[in-house]
């Protein structure tokens, strides 16, 4: 949360990867499921379609593919990973953690593996942790994944929520760098008093799973969208301003702003308040919907592989999510993506990733 201290190492992203499932659910598909329209969804959210996992795909499967792609770009292997962090609200199971499951599938035997549970802000929280453990020398290589299968906890009879969410995974590899490079500042916040703005009421210790909780549809997301909208805009603006302050920058110093893809109108309202030019804002919500903790690393991977991120590029990440949680980071990019890096693969079954 504070500016970097004398003698502390920097941490920088040296590889990115993403994966989204094949199946596309369009706005038109929802017209036969709930009382809605393509026009309403487009205008109120900016979403045109989203990806939905196959029944036999777990969150760890999506995460694994994104992770292999990030490791490949970083020219590292699973044996190099010291910390394996998964930001998710939809782990495969309540126990063990999603990170431990990914660790087993990847064969990352040396890694300490753990989940971060901060909803849509999880990737930013994870970056803060990664920067900390690399900065102190506790880790040299961190694999950070944001993965969600929100389709598993969305109520497809509730038009207020079902049109918003999609599935996907994004991953980054972080390594030490000079203190003035990489992740320059982290500003993370939460307010548990706002916990009921977005919740899954049942399935935890408060309301363990029972016939009644299933009958009551208690295992699905419940959301107070209007209220969330307002606090999200404010929280995203404030945390990005704070991260910029810590990095000694102004909003106009950022070459790219990659916001959590919650709603086109939330993103636009935040952009206006900050005075960031529209062309510097990364938006892909029309194709993927809200993928929660995966949305920032998915967007980043697309930008990196499209050649829009170069050494020296200054990037702001910013998010708001359930909890409530919110936060932002400012980074100076160091990675030169090697010539011939494969283009982002947005569709298709996972290819074998060469190492
Ligand atoms: N199709 C048609 N009508 C709908 C739909 C739908 N899919 N969903 C809601 N409506 C209706 C509502 O029932 C309401 O009808 P009513 O006036 O008869 O009660 C009407 O549309 C207006 O509802 P509002 O809540 O005023 O619509 P709003 O403009 O606020 O848009 C939305 C709703 C899209 C959910 C918006 O509030 C939002 O995006 N909020 C942020 C929520 C979010 O992003 N959550 C994700 C997690 S947190 C995060 O990532 C930031």
């Amino acid at each position: 949360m504070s500016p970097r201290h004398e003698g502390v190492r920097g941490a920088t992203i040296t590889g990115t990867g993403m994966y989204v499932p094949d199946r596309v659910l369009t706005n038109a598909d929802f017209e036969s499921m709930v009382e809605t329209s393509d026009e309403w969804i487009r205008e109120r959210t900016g979403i045109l379609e989203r990806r939905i996992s196959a029944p036999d795909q777990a969150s760890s499967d999506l995460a694994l593919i994104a992770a292999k792609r990030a490791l490949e770009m970083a020219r590292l292997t699973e044996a190099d990973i010291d910390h394996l962090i998964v930001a998710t609200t939809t782990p495969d199971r309540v126990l063990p953690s999603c990170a431990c499951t990914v660790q087993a599938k990847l064969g990352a035997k040396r890694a300490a593996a753990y989940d971060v549970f901060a909803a849509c802000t999880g990737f930013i929280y994870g970056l803060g942790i990664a920067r900390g453990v690399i900065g102190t020398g506790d880790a040299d290589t961190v694999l950070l994944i944001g993965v969600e299968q929100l389709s598993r906890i969305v109520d497809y009879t509730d038009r207020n929520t079902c049109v918003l969410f999609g599935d996907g995974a994004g991953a980054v590899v972080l390594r030490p760098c000079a203190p003035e490079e990489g992740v320059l500042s982290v500003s993370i916040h939460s307010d548990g008093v706002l916990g009921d703005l977005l919740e899954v009421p049942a399935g935890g210790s408060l309301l363990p799973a029972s016939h009644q909780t299933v009958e009551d549809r208690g295992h699905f997301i419940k959301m107070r969208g209007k209220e969330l909208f307002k606090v999200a805009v404010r929280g995203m603006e404030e945390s990005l301003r704070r991260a910029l302050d810590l990095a000694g920058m102004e909003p106009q110093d950022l070459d790219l702003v990659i916001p959590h893809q919650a709603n086109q109108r939330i993103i636009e309202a935040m952009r206006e308040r900050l005075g960031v030019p529209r062309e510097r804002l990364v938006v892909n919500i029309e194709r993927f919907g809200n993928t929660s903790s995966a949305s920032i690393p998915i967007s980043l991977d697309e930008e990196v592989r499209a050649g829009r991120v170069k050494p020296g590029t200054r990037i702001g990440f910013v998010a708001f999510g359930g909890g409530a949680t919110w936060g932002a980071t400012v980074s100076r990019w160091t990675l030169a993506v090697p010539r011939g890096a494969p283009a982002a693969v947005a569709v298709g079954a996972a290819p074998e990733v060469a190492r």
Side-chain angles (χ1 to χ4, degrees):
M1 300 264 271
S2 55
R4 57 187 68 248
H5 298 293
E6 194 87 1
V8 171
R9 304 192 293 181
T12 192
I13 293 173
T14 65
T16 67
M18 68 165 273
Y19 173 76
V20 291
D22 286 350
R23 188 174 160 218
V24 175
L25 206 56
T26 66
N27 290 350
D29 294 328
F30 282 101
E31 290 176 354
S32 57
M33 295 159 69
V34 288
E35 201 185 325
T36 191
S37 66
D38 173 44
E39 193 192 355
W40 192 95
I41 303 170
R42 250 173 224 261
E43 279 178 8
R44 309 305 285 171
T45 71
I47 301 167
L48 306 186
E49 59 184 43
R50 62 294 282 146
R51 300 304 179 93
I52 305 295
S53 299
D56 62 350
Q57 277 181 312
S59 287
S60 62
D61 297 318
L62 276 53
L64 185 67
I65 300 165
K68 284 183 174 177
R69 290 176 176 162
L71 283 168
E72 185 191 28
M73 187 188 286
R75 298 175 190 272
L76 294 172
T77 73
E78 62 282 350
D80 296 307
I81 303 166
D82 297 312
H83 282 225
L84 194 167
I85 309 172
V86 175
T88 189
T89 316
T90 47
D92 294 17
R93 292 163 279 184
V94 172
L95 187 72
S97 70
C98 192
C100 282
T101 308
V102 174
Q103 175 186 30
K105 290 183 176 178
L106 198 55
K109 292 201 170 82
R110 277 189 339 99
Y114 48 95
D115 287 359
V116 173
F117 192 167
C120 306
T121 321
F123 182 76
I124 305 250
Y125 271 63
L127 266 188
I129 295 166
R131 177 196 187 218
V133 294
I134 288 176
T136 56
D138 288 345
D140 286 329
T141 303
V142 176
L143 173 64
L144 169 62
I145 305 166
V147 61
E148 300 291 357
Q149 286 196 311
L150 293 158
S151 63
R152 302 292 209 254
I153 57 167
V154 157
D155 183 348
Y156 284 99
T157 66
D158 175 9
R159 70 176 182 174
N160 291 294
T161 52
C162 69
V163 300
L164 300 175
F165 299 104
D167 299 340
V172 298
V173 174
L174 290 114
R175 295 272 301 158
C177 68
E180 67 280 6
E181 304 285 352
V183 184
L184 301 176
S185 61
V186 178
S187 169
I188 51 174
H189 312 270
S190 47
D191 184 354
V193 171
L194 302 175
D196 61 357
L197 292 187
L198 188 68
E199 63 170 341
V200 177
S205 62
L206 181 64
L207 264 183
S210 67
H211 289 292
Q212 193 61 48
T213 60
V214 173
E215 241 169 65
D216 294 344
R217 309 187 81 75
H219 298 273
F220 295 125
I221 287 182
K222 315 272 182 234
M223 187 180 75
R224 286 166 39 199
K226 230 187 215 334
E227 287 149 277
L228 254 179
F229 195 107
K230 285 186 203 141
V231 287
V233 172
R234 207 170 43 236
M236 286 167 85
E237 181 201 355
E238 281 172 8
S239 57
L240 188 50
R241 282 196 191 281
R242 169 104 177 109
L244 282 161
D245 269 357
L246 292 170
M249 288 188 206
E250 301 288 333
Q252 57 270 24
D253 295 329
L254 291 173
D255 301 302
L256 276 184
V257 175
I258 302 186
H260 164 49
Q261 310 285 308
N263 181 314
Q264 172 74 57
R265 291 184 299 134
I266 291 179
I267 295 171
E268 183 55 26
M270 178 206 70
R271 184 196 72 74
E272 267 179 23
R273 283 168 171 239
L274 285 163
V276 171
R278 192 166 276 130
E279 64 276 10
R280 298 194 192 168
L281 194 72
V282 176
V283 179
N284 59 17
I285 193 169
E286 69 283 359
R287 287 178 289 131
F288 303 130
N290 180 344
T291 58
S292 190
S293 64
S295 83
I296 291 176
I298 286 175
S299 307
L300 175 67
D301 185 59
E302 288 200 321
E303 293 302 296
V304 168
R305 289 178 197 259
R308 287 191 285 272
V309 184
K310 301 189 174 65
T313 300
R314 289 157 301 191
I315 310 178
F317 297 140
V318 57
F320 191 98
T325 57
W326 62 100
T329 69
V330 168
S331 308
R332 187 174 291 118
W333 197 255
T334 55
L335 172 67
V337 177
R339 232 174 238 268
V345 183
V347 291
E352 278 306 307
V353 178
R355 272 198 262 279

